[in-house]
Each structure stands twice: as structure tokens, then as C-alpha cells.
Amino acid sequence: MTVSLIAGCLWVLAASLIAFLPIRQQIIPGTILGLSAFALLGWIGYQNGWIWTAVGVFAFVSLFRNGFKAIPAMMRGEKLEIPDHI
């Protein structure tokens, strides 16, 4: 297993751990993970090829699906409600 795939596995574990945090505390670490995913996917693609990159993209989209749903709403100018009690 290459170093990039190990880093990808650690990224998935970190994203899973951040998901346990209350929603308000997920924003900053989630943003950092989301932005770092692009570099990590490029590294995985460079070392392992497009198949493993596709697997990484699937994992990324799966873990950030709620964030991707919120982007069109924000672009339409809708205010997103973040619950206080969660």
C-alpha cells in the first residue's frame, strides 16, 4: 500500500471522527478536510492511477454529501439553519 493510500485512509478516519462533533464544531475542521481532499486525490491519482482516484472521489462525495447539498442553497441566497442542540 502506498503512502498516499495510507494518507487517504487516515483522511477518511479523520472525517468520520469529525462527524461525531456537534454541527457547529464541524465547520472549521470539515472545511480544512474538504479543501485538503483535492490535493490528496491528486496525490493518490499520481501514485496509483485513476481507479483509486475514483474510489477516493466516491469516498469524498459520500462523506461530504450534506455539504454538497448546502452549496446550491447558499448560492440561491437561502439562509442555512444550523441547529443549536445538535
Side-chain angles (χ1 to χ4, degrees), residues 12-51:
V12 168
L13 289 174
S16 299
L17 290 174
I18 289 172
F20 282 109
L21 294 173
I23 191 75
R24 290 189 180 273
Q25 294 177 356
Q26 290 179 8
I27 295 172
I28 293 174
T31 302
I32 293 168
L33 275 178
L35 293 175
S36 68
F38 297 108
L40 182 59
L41 288 169
W43 186 25
I44 289 172
Y46 178 74
Q47 282 193 340
N48 302 290
W50 71 270
I51 292 176

